[in-house]
Amino acid sequence: VSAIAAAADQLTIGLDVGGTKTAVVVTDAAGDLVHETVQPTTAAHLTDQLVAMARAARAAAEVARPGSDVAAIGVAAPGRVDPATGTVDLAVNLGADQLDVAAPIERQLGLPCFVEHDARAAAIWLADQADGADDGTPPSLAYLSVGTGIAAGIVIDGKPLRGRRGLAGEVGHVVADPAGPRCTCGLRGCLEAVAAGPALARLANAAAERKGGPRVTSAEDVFRSADAGDAGARRVIDGAVGHLARAIRGLVLAFGVERVIIGGGVAGAGDALLGPLLDAIAIERQASALAEQALSETSIELLPPQSAAGARGAALVARRAFASTPTAVAVGGRG
Ligand SMILES: [Zn+2]
């Protein structure tokens, strides 16, 4: 009781490490935003960047809320996250084999630091924001992040699904096309290799090369070309949308989630992504009574832009962990 009461007057920092951008937020006990900044990710000096961003956020929060203090820091990161040691490995899109995240932050800021998988942190925040069902059942939802990589965060009956080694939700490396290209993880035809942002750009460039069209550098360009009437870009998007629709069906059937919220850089395309995705899912529903039953009551949504779900989730994870962890153990408790 005393730890929770003490935490009620304190702020938490949430950092969200993405393949291209890193966001930091400071939130209060009610979850309201006190401060927010986004920077390009500098993967080569990532821990230094996280320490500097947390330090600047703490200083900004002290100005925004005089007399308040930051109690804990949460970090949302891709890859296999071990909340017990505060380390991250297999973060293929950060080009890192092993990252010691929590210990340097705790050492340099003197605050407890808690690490969570980025998509899972976003899902935890979305579940916290959601009203449960009318009958009082806690929310079951999946957050599907489609950006540099693809991963899902899954919350079942209000509880985040972690799995034995923390790899639950890594649907980006489930096979989408057995004959597809090699993925950054080493496997062939992963969902990520055919439907993530870099895959869209690569596939569009392969098509452009065959016909001598202009090259693109990002998924955003591919959506722009398709919008301007480029048939090759349209085919690339339709292909990726088909893969994503099947992945969403898989999430709904495997986990019984009532909502799938799509975020990440590719979701920035907005209705240009959601429209075709809903069409593809409607076709599946027409083809199958089973799909109709599973998907008819599932809400498929885009995460509103600028919602900073990962960073806010990291701040929420830190608040909950801090409230349930004696400070003396959390600070300096790691070797
Ligand atoms: Zn893979």
Side-chain angles (χ1 to χ4, degrees):
V1 171
S2 63
I4 292 164
D9 301 313
Q10 288 167 322
L11 310 175
T12 50
I13 293 175
L15 288 146
D16 181 18
V17 185
T20 56
K21 285 183 290 184
T22 294
V24 63
V25 299
V26 183
T27 62
D28 64 16
D32 290 330
L33 268 186
V34 175
H35 173 78
E36 182 176 18
T37 313
V38 180
Q39 283 183 6
T41 301
T42 52
H45 309 280
L46 189 60
T47 7
D48 290 345
Q49 181 180 24
L50 296 181
V51 166
M53 284 181 81
R55 209 171 253 150
R58 186 185 202 177
E62 277 165 10
V63 174
R65 292 280 176 94
S68 67
D69 197 14
V70 173
I73 300 172
V75 180
R80 190 171 73 82
V81 170
D82 184 345
T85 58
T87 57
V88 176
D89 59 15
L90 303 174
V92 288
N93 291 317
L94 295 176
D97 287 337
Q98 170 95 41
L99 275 174
D100 195 6
V101 174
I105 292 175
E106 291 191 340
R107 205 164 43 236
Q108 296 191 55
L109 279 106
L111 292 169
C113 180
F114 306 91
V115 186
E116 182 56 279
H117 184 274
D118 54 1
R120 196 175 293 132
I124 289 169
W125 181 73
L126 286 162
D128 185 66
Q129 296 290 299
D131 302 322
D134 294 341
D135 62 2
T137 316
S140 292
L141 59 81
Y143 169 69
L144 182 64
S145 173
V146 187
T148 310
I150 294 180
I154 298 155
V155 172
I156 301 296
D157 296 330
K159 292 199 183 71
L161 186 68
R162 183 162 273 108
R164 182 162 159 71
R165 300 201 39 135
L167 283 168
E170 290 288 358
V171 295
H173 304 286
V174 168
V175 68
D177 176 5
R182 186 78 64 189
C183 178
T184 45
C185 77
L187 295 171
R188 188 171 283 284
C190 294
L191 178 62
E192 188 168 302
V194 293
L200 292 183
R202 195 192 61 242
L203 291 165
N205 281 330
E209 222 158 82
R210 284 194 298 272
K211 323 175 299 183
R215 287 185 64 81
V216 298
T217 57
S218 68
E220 221 178 315
D221 292 341
V222 184
F223 278 99
R224 205 174 294 122
S225 302
D227 192 43
D230 184 311
R234 172 57 56 201
R235 266 194 302 278
V236 167
I237 289 171
D238 288 346
V241 159
H243 290 303
L244 291 173
R246 288 185 287 277
I248 289 169
R249 189 219 304 165
L251 286 169
V252 173
L253 289 173
F255 299 108
V257 292
E258 65 225 2
R259 291 172 69 200
V260 178
I261 302 105
I262 304 154
V266 175
D271 287 339
L273 174 70
L274 188 63
L277 201 48
L278 293 177
D279 290 345
I281 287 167
I283 290 168
E284 296 199 334
R285 285 172 56 181
Q286 280 161 13
S288 152
L290 172 80
E292 171 61 18
Q293 190 159 29
L295 289 159
S296 62
E297 288 179 23
T298 308
S299 158
I300 293 155
E301 311 154 34
L302 290 181
L303 183 71
Q306 273 87 47
S307 59
R312 295 183 76 149
L316 178 62
V317 163
R319 177 167 304 282
R320 287 181 178 167
F322 178 73
S324 61
T325 310
T327 310
V329 173
V331 178
R334 287 181 237 272

